[in-house]
Amino acid sequence: AFSGVGPSLGSSSSTPASSAGGIIEASTSDTTVPPPVDETKPTTTIQIRLLSGKRLIVKCNLDDPVRTLVLHINASGGGKE
């Protein structure tokens, strides 16, 4: 299993995210609403399985950053149900 510290993807802060067991904790500053999908651009659908077992299906643009997925996970409650 992976264990370590370092910058997280999409993080604009210089504070490193910590990880244990391959799980990266989202910071509380990532609570904004995910951007809308631009239907004039190419899109894809991604299925994410959350730690709770909940399945999250996210439609996003191909050029969206990984941070968009984090925003969708946080908007869904992060699977902490």
Side-chain angles (χ1 to χ4, degrees), residues 8 17-18 22 26 30 37 39 42 47 64-65 75:
S8 63
S18 54
D30 290 337
V37 175
E39 296 293 343
Q47 177 177 293
D64 280 347

Side-chain angles (χ1 to χ4, degrees), residues 31 34 68 73:
T31 57
T68 300
I73 291 168

Side-chain angles (χ1 to χ4, degrees), residues 4-76:
V5 297
S8 63
L9 291 175
S11 175
S12 60
S13 72
S14 60
T15 305
S18 54
S19 172
I23 301 168
I24 297 175
E25 297 295 329
S27 70
T28 56
S29 64
D30 290 337
T31 57
T32 58
V33 177
V37 175
D38 183 351
E39 296 293 343
T40 64
K41 296 167 124 180
T43 61
T44 190
T45 303
I46 298 174
Q47 177 177 293
I48 303 169
R49 184 71 63 178
L50 302 175
L51 289 174
S52 66
K54 178 181 173 186
R55 183 177 69 161
L56 181 64
I57 299 176
V58 176
K59 183 175 181 182
C60 57
N61 293 108
L62 293 178
D63 61 352
D64 280 347
V66 173
R67 176 172 162 69
T68 300
L69 299 177
V70 173
L71 294 174
H72 279 279
I73 291 168
N74 290 344
S76 76

